[in-house]
Amino acid sequence: MMFGMRVRGGLLAALIMIAAPMGGALVSVPAAAQTVASITVEGNRRVEVETIRSYFKPGPGGRLGQAQIDDGLKALIETGLFQDVRINQVGGRLVVTVVENAVIGRIAFEGNKKVKDEQLSAEIQSKPRGTFSRPMVQSDAQRIAEIYRRSGRYDVRVTPEVIEQPNNRVDLIFTITEGTKTGVKSIEFVGNVAYSSYRLKDVIKTRESNLLSFLGGADVYDPDRVEADRDLIRRFYLKNGYADVQVVAALTEYDPDRKGFLVTFKIEEGQQYRVASVDFQTSIPTLDATSMRSFSRVSVGSVYNAEALEKSVEEMQIEASRRGYAFAVVRPRGDRNFEQHTVSIVFAVDEGPRTYIERINVRGNTRTRDYVIRREFDLSEGDAYNRALVDRAERRLKNLDFFKSVKILTEPGSSTDRVILVVDLEEKSTGDFSVSGGYSTSDGALAEVSISERNFLGRGLYAKAAVTYGQYARGGSLSFVEPYLFDYRVALGLDLFYREQLANSYISYGTKTLGFSPRLGFTLREDLALQLRYSIYQQEISLPSQLANCNNNSSNSLLAFNPTPAFANIAGAPAGGSITEGGQTATDTSGQGLWCYSDGEASLPVRRELQSGKALTSSVGYSLNYNTLDNNKNPTDGLLIDWKQDFAGVGGDVKYIKSAIDAKYYTPLVADIVGLIHLQGGMLNQFGGSELRMLDHFQMGPNLVRGFAPNGIGPRDINPFGTRDALGGTKYWGASFELQMPFWFLPKEVGLKGSVYADAGGLFDYKGPTSWAQTGEVNVPGCVPPTQATATTPANAGTCLGLQHDNGNVVRTSVGVGIIWASPFGPLRFDYAVPLTKGQFDRVQEFKFGGGTSF
């Protein structure tokens, strides 16, 4: 600021020179008092004279003193409308000379390919037909650069260019050099001993850049994500007994040579602790503290687990509230023994402050209805404030996957015993359009187009429509889920589906299934869920005519008389022709041809299903699911048990009881190796005197014992001149032990793991049809088919016209290796297994591949 004084006409006038922030011009302000009406305005084009005068507020007596003039000058400059403002006294008049800022005619962006013009226009403050301001333009350039940095482009450069136009107008051009994405080139851990860097990379969200990084975004450097990773690492150690752990720092450094960031996490692990004792105390006289023991997830001798401790506190506090102690607060206390590395835990239940919820305010939900958010709370306005219930509501809102961020804050209410809950949300896209493709050795090439919405109409509903078209499998489905039926925490699901399975190298027949299934889901606990369902579906079989033309009954008008050839001269009478397959020969002794076997023949149960036409199955069932896995996509620890039972016969044409159980136990071993024990079993029972259909039997292959083809094990039609269809069984069991290990020589981000395994299992006890009186395919008692003939028991095949099958009561075993790839294209798995023991008629398939993608 500069000050100057000059004597003119015997009067002393103070001339104050002020540097204008916008134009950099000097402004001269007289000290003489004036009235607003005496102000003369010069240089204005768009801004009215009275508007400029209005910024000068008169003082006492309606006069303008030095203070009022200074305030008016500042106010005019702050409007941003003027490039320069000068105040002078000319002939006793106060003259305000202004130079107006130009008007922006057009704003354009050049060089931007990764961010659309619309997004950039919404972020900047400069607008078309608005006032041009150089400081604002510089701020806009910085804002544009920040948008690019948030997407990982730290090399971005933004250069604003001003093009002057007639009539004090300008065009504003932002020239953008986007640069390449700045990725994370290296993630290192310092101080970790108990867990390898390879294992810790599984814990964090940030990923290192690799050849396939363009399909995702986790490798792009994001300081907020790195900071969140620090907390993930800390919580991981606390969950596994390291109570003293500290993630001291997350250091980031830009490497200009590698053109990326190097991230280093410094960890102080401390020692692993175990639980020495668990006690309960209370200061509430009428509450028995030991009654809370059943709600504790912490046990003596176990590894200290901070996550289990938190859940124990939450469940105890909720239980105390249910018992009428609305203000009870459960506080855990841990006394550490640093020498023995143990923790003695005490749960103290005390009376907390009597605080009530005055209001629950929801902010940020522009699409999601308020009630969808509020129903996740187990408390409402007017209830006692319970921190455990608030934390549970926050966790539930995050699990909805409707929001980018969820925070529940408390604000003071209208009195000291009132609080206001503020739910701050940021919504995200919940719709998905997916085009998926895959290939498996059983279904061949497969493609699926689906559209789904997790928050349909903003009401929290789930809806999905999908169409599948493949080499051997086709179909479509519609699904709908209402997660809160009648405002209860009960999920209603509705599924309409159509499936078509075509004949292939594993089955000689095709099937078509059209059905509908409503279901109810109940969350009994966080790790236990119950589902009740009803299913009704219609199923039919299709066969080429040449595979369904055997008829031994001349009175049967449904088929032309085309009998099974007699095997009386199986030893080789020379008359007529013969066919040989599977080591067996059928000889024509009549000279009339080989009848139906000359063009092949499907198994008797398959042809019976075809003749029966469409069959309607109506069943009710339930499932119990117990899940303690640490990660559903890539588990390393925990137990998953799925028990299912279905009862068919609630109307329809089919009656059976089908039960199945599947259990998987994962446990970390050494050096990032994970062990997996997989047990499974099932049983099919008939009731009501009805015969079991072949289609209702269990069909097994590599899903039970790897190394076998789909439908490759179990009871099978052993007629060497037919299609030898797999018949399935009513009982099965399976056991597998697998070791999964990373390829340590490959970057973690590649997502490849190897596995070695041993499988064992069996499928047996076929109870479907073995004869068909309508076509005369009935076995005479004591018949011996050629495939079962011995030197002491000769064949009399002519009396064996019914189904001859292998019961499959053999233990199948195999060993193998596999590659598991969590690829950006979807999960892929390659298996090579060699059977060690098998049945005589089993079908082997040593290599198996399956996987798919969405894009």
Side-chain angles (χ1 to χ4, degrees):
M1 187 177 291
M2 301 175 60
F3 298 91
M5 298 174 60
R6 184 176 298 173
V7 178
R8 182 178 293 176
L11 297 175
L12 180 64
L15 185 64
I16 304 175
M17 307 300 290
I18 303 175
M22 312 219 30
L26 297 177
V27 180
S28 159
V29 181
Q34 305 287 335
T35 64
V36 173
S38 67
I39 297 176
T40 300
V41 178
E42 296 179 351
N44 59 311
R45 295 185 180 182
R46 300 186 310 277
V47 184
E48 298 291 337
V49 171
E50 291 304 321
T51 300
I52 295 175
R53 286 175 176 172
S54 68
Y55 285 93
F56 296 89
K57 309 296 182 183
R63 310 289 293 178
L64 291 174
Q66 185 65 49
Q68 287 76 34
I69 293 174
D70 288 345
D71 290 343
L73 173 63
K74 292 177 183 177
L76 282 173
I77 292 173
E78 289 173 356
T79 62
L81 298 174
F82 306 105
Q83 182 178 348
D84 190 14
V85 179
R86 295 175 182 271
I87 299 178
N88 292 291
Q89 187 173 357
V90 179
R93 293 179 298 107
L94 194 67
V95 179
V96 179
T97 304
V98 297
V99 178
E100 293 181 347
N101 272 327
V103 175
I104 300 174
R106 181 175 68 95
I107 297 178
F109 305 94
E110 295 182 353
N112 57 310
K113 297 179 180 179
K114 302 300 181 180
V115 184
K116 294 182 179 180
D117 288 2
E118 294 79 6
Q119 182 179 350
L120 295 176
S121 297
E123 294 290 342
I124 64 176
Q125 292 180 302
S126 300
K127 303 294 179 184
R129 297 181 297 279
T131 302
F132 172 76
S133 167
R134 292 187 183 276
M136 186 182 296
V137 170
Q138 292 299 325
S139 175
D140 289 341
Q142 294 175 5
R143 177 59 184 156
I144 293 171
E146 182 62 24
I147 293 172
Y148 275 92
R149 290 191 185 103
R150 282 294 173 186
S151 64
R153 298 181 183 274
Y154 280 78
D155 289 337
V156 64
R157 292 198 307 273
V158 182
T159 305
E161 182 182 357
V162 180
I163 301 176
E164 295 187 1
Q165 302 290 350
N167 301 320
N168 199 29
R169 302 176 73 87
V170 296
D171 289 341
L172 180 58
I173 311 296
F174 290 98
T175 303
I176 302 169
T177 304
E178 294 182 323
T180 58
K181 275 193 175 184
T182 311
V184 176
K185 299 299 183 182
S186 170
I187 300 175
E188 301 293 339
F189 299 88
V190 177
N192 55 308
V193 177
Y195 296 98
S196 68
S197 298
Y198 194 96
R199 177 68 181 92
L200 292 178
K201 286 180 181 180
D202 262 343
V203 176
I204 63 177
K205 301 294 185 183
T206 304
R207 295 286 181 262
E208 291 179 353
S209 299
N210 58 74
L211 292 175
L212 300 176
S213 293
F214 68 94
L215 296 171
D219 70 307
V220 176
Y221 174 70
D222 184 342
D224 294 336
R225 185 191 295 143
V226 171
E227 191 61 31
D229 286 340
R230 287 183 63 186
D231 186 59
L232 290 175
I233 295 170
R234 186 184 68 86
R235 294 184 67 86
F236 172 76
Y237 272 95
L238 288 173
K239 181 181 177 181
N240 288 279
Y242 293 86
D244 298 326
V245 66
Q246 292 186 40
V247 183
V248 179
L251 306 176
T252 57
E253 178 186 0
Y254 181 75
D255 187 341
D257 295 331
R258 301 175 66 179
K259 296 184 178 179
F261 282 90
L262 313 181
V263 180
T264 303
F265 294 97
K266 297 184 68 176
I267 304 170
E268 293 180 2
E269 291 181 335
Q271 297 294 322
Q272 188 182 53
Y273 286 77
R274 290 188 173 271
V275 179
S277 63
V278 181
D279 294 318
F280 300 84
Q281 298 176 356
T282 180
S283 61
I284 304 174
T286 56
L287 177 63
D288 180 11
T290 57
S291 65
M292 294 291 178
R293 187 174 295 274
S294 61
F295 297 94
S296 172
R297 298 192 179 190
V298 181
S299 58
V300 176
S302 64
V303 173
Y304 172 76
N305 186 334
E307 184 177 293
L309 192 69
E310 291 175 359
K311 290 181 179 179
S312 300
V313 169
E314 179 180 299
E315 293 186 6
M316 289 180 192
Q317 194 158 321
I318 292 171
E319 177 61 21
S321 178
R322 288 173 182 160
R323 296 183 186 183
Y325 303 95
F327 301 101
V329 177
V330 181
R331 296 184 177 91
R333 185 178 71 248
D335 299 324
R336 303 178 198 176
N337 185 320
F338 295 101
E339 294 180 356
Q340 299 182 5
H341 307 305
T342 59
V343 181
S344 298
I345 297 174
V346 177
F347 292 100
V349 187
D350 301 311
E351 188 77 22
R354 291 183 172 270
T355 306
Y356 297 88
I357 298 173
E358 183 173 323
R359 288 196 315 277
I360 300 177
N361 294 337
V362 181
R363 299 192 301 221
N365 57 318
T366 56
R367 181 168 175 265
T368 307
R369 308 293 179 94
D370 258 27
Y371 73 85
V372 173
I373 298 162
R374 294 177 182 272
R375 69 190 183 188
E376 299 299 329
F377 286 81
D378 289 327
L379 39 73
S380 56
E381 288 148 345
D383 288 349
Y385 174 75
N386 189 315
R387 186 68 230 179
L389 292 176
V390 172
D391 291 341
R392 174 180 282 188
E394 183 172 331
R395 187 168 62 251
R396 286 173 175 172
L397 287 171
K398 290 178 179 178
N399 291 339
L400 289 176
D401 201 23
F402 297 168
F403 312 105
K404 287 183 180 178
S405 64
V406 178
K407 292 182 180 179
I408 301 181
L409 309 173
T410 57
E411 294 180 353
S414 57
S415 61
T416 56
D417 63 344
R418 297 286 187 272
V419 295
I420 299 172
L421 293 183
V422 179
V423 185
D424 270 330
L425 307 167
E426 183 181 357
E427 293 186 314
K428 68 178 182 180
S429 174
T430 54
D432 291 304
F433 175 76
S434 170
V435 180
S436 305
Y439 179 84
S440 74
T441 46
S442 58
D443 294 330
L446 193 70
E448 180 185 78
V449 178
S450 67
I451 183 170
S452 63
E453 172 59 61
R454 299 191 304 276
N455 189 14
F456 188 56
L457 301 177
R459 300 176 182 270
L461 307 174
Y462 175 83
K464 180 179 180 179
V467 176
T468 303
Y469 191 89
Q471 192 172 354
Y472 303 122
R474 297 163 189 176
S477 64
L478 294 173
S479 298
F480 173 84
V481 178
E482 164 57 83
Y484 278 81
L485 183 63
F486 304 127
D487 292 328
Y488 290 98
R489 201 176 294 278
V490 177
L492 169 67
L494 302 173
D495 297 303
L496 179 66
F497 56 89
Y498 171 76
R499 293 192 296 266
E500 183 177 356
Q501 180 71 48
L502 304 182
N504 53 54
S505 58
Y506 305 111
I507 55 175
S508 64
Y509 54 91
T511 59
K512 293 181 181 179
T513 306
L514 175 64
F516 172 70
S517 178
R519 48 195 162 85
L520 295 174
F522 305 83
T523 301
L524 306 180
R525 294 189 330 206
E526 285 193 359
D527 56 4
L528 186 63
L530 169 68
Q531 184 190 91
L532 305 178
R533 60 181 171 272
Y534 170 73
S535 299
I536 182 168
Y537 58 90
Q538 181 177 272
Q539 196 171 32
E540 64 176 319
I541 273 183
S542 60
L543 265 177
S545 58
Q546 71 271 17
L547 297 183
N549 62 353
C550 269
N551 179 21
N552 298 298
N553 186 354
S554 60
S555 63
N556 178 15
S557 60
L558 297 176
L559 291 171
F561 183 60
N562 188 20
T564 304
F567 285 86
N569 294 323
I570 192 70
S578 65
I579 57 174
T580 301
E581 188 168 334
Q584 301 298 320
T585 301
T587 304
D588 170 27
T589 58
S590 65
Q592 297 179 6
L594 289 167
W595 299 288
C596 56
Y597 282 168
S598 61
D599 54 7
E601 195 68 17
S603 298
L604 181 149
V606 177
R607 289 182 281 119
R608 276 195 59 172
E609 295 283 355
L610 176 69
Q611 192 64 44
S612 299
K614 298 177 181 178
L616 184 67
T617 300
S618 175
S619 69
V620 294
Y622 70 93
S623 298
L624 269 175
N625 181 271
Y626 177 73
N627 187 346
T628 63
L629 298 181
D630 60 343
N631 186 314
N632 287 330
K633 289 185 177 180
N634 186 24
T636 60
D637 192 14
L639 179 63
L640 175 63
I641 301 176
D642 195 17
W643 164 256
K644 298 180 180 180
Q645 202 162 34
D646 290 281
F647 305 85
V650 189
D653 307 317
V654 180
K655 292 182 180 180
Y656 62 74
I657 301 174
K658 183 178 284 189
S659 309
I661 188 169
D662 190 288
K664 295 179 180 178
Y665 175 65
Y666 293 85
T667 183
L669 300 176
V670 293
D672 301 316
I673 297 176
V674 176
L676 165 61
I677 298 175
H678 184 192
L679 303 175
Q680 53 183 316
M683 181 177 294
L684 176 68
N685 300 102
Q686 62 187 110
F687 73 95
S690 63
E691 190 176 47
L692 290 174
R693 298 190 312 157
M694 182 207 68
L695 291 179
D696 296 324
H697 283 60
F698 296 109
Q699 296 284 358
M700 293 292 166
N703 55 331
L704 188 69
V705 181
R706 284 163 284 195
F708 291 89
N711 298 356
I713 65 176
R716 181 177 300 276
D717 182 354
I718 59 176
N719 180 355
F721 308 104
T723 53
R724 286 195 167 182
D725 293 300
L727 306 175
T730 60
K731 300 179 182 67
Y732 76 91
W733 67 272
S736 298
F737 178 70
E738 181 170 332
L739 295 177
Q740 297 180 355
M741 65 213 70
F743 292 116
W744 292 278
F745 54 88
L746 292 176
K748 175 74 174 180
E749 287 66 30
V750 175
L752 277 173
K753 292 192 299 184
S755 68
V756 295
Y757 50 82
D759 295 345
L763 174 67
F764 51 94
D765 204 9
Y766 170 74
K767 291 185 178 179
T770 58
S771 62
W772 193 4
Q774 191 174 37
T775 61
E777 294 181 79
V778 180
N779 291 330
V780 174
C783 77
V784 179
T787 54
Q788 298 177 9
T790 65
T792 58
T793 308
N796 53 348
T799 63
C800 299
L801 301 179
L803 175 69
Q804 301 301 319
H805 67 91
D806 169 31
N807 194 38
N809 195 8
V810 176
V811 176
R812 280 83 174 177
T813 59
S814 70
V815 293
V817 295
I819 295 177
I820 306 167
W821 186 19
S823 77
F825 308 104
L828 301 174
R829 177 154 184 153
F830 307 82
D831 282 297
Y832 180 80
V834 178
L836 300 180
T837 61
K838 60 180 181 177
Q840 180 183 355
F841 302 98
D842 288 347
R843 296 186 178 180
V844 173
Q845 180 184 294
E846 296 179 343
F847 176 75
K848 182 177 182 293
F849 161 72
T853 182
S854 296
F855 48 90

